[in-house]
Each structure stands twice: as structure tokens, then as C-alpha cells.
Amino acid sequence: MTAVWRAFFASSAVLLALLGLSIPYIEPGTATFVVSVLSLGLLGPMFLGSAVFIYVDWDPFEELASNN
């Protein structure tokens, strides 16, 4: 399951890096600015959450696998 968390982590890191590179070219008050803020609001927690899940090695299906 760690591979899934690593994929989420890597994809959100790449998208956050691209978003960070575009920040100097976005004018506040435009629709692009709103979309960028919303993207940051979605990508930030996904990045942090996947980092935490990788760190604690959390497997959400561990109990289901042990019951079989």
C-alpha cells in the first residue's frame, strides 16, 4: 500500500512545484488566481497526508488482510 501513498506524494509534489513556478505570473483578482488558490487548497492536504501515511506506514486494509 505504500506504493499508492508514494504515487500520491510524488504526483502532488510535482503539481505543487508547477503551481509554485506559475505564482509570479498570476495576477491577483483573476479567475486564474482563484483556481490556483483552490488547487493549493486541494494539493496541500494531499501532499501532507500522503507524507504522514508514508511516515507511519499506514495500511488501511491491514485488518481485512489479517481476517482472511
Side-chain angles (χ1 to χ4, degrees):
M1 191 66 186
T2 304
V4 174
W5 300 131
R6 289 182 193 271
F8 281 137
F9 181 78
S11 62
S12 61
V14 168
L15 291 173
L16 282 171
L18 291 173
L19 185 62
L21 289 173
S22 69
I23 292 295
Y25 305 104
I26 298 173
E27 296 180 17
T30 62
T32 306
F33 182 77
V34 173
V35 170
S36 299
V37 170
L38 291 174
S39 296
L40 180 64
L42 294 173
L43 287 171
M46 187 170 82
F47 179 79
L48 293 175
S50 59
V52 168
F53 293 157
I54 291 169
Y55 181 75
V56 298
D57 196 29
W58 181 59
D59 184 6
F61 303 111
E62 183 177 7
E63 292 180 16
L64 294 175
S66 65
N67 289 338
N68 291 334

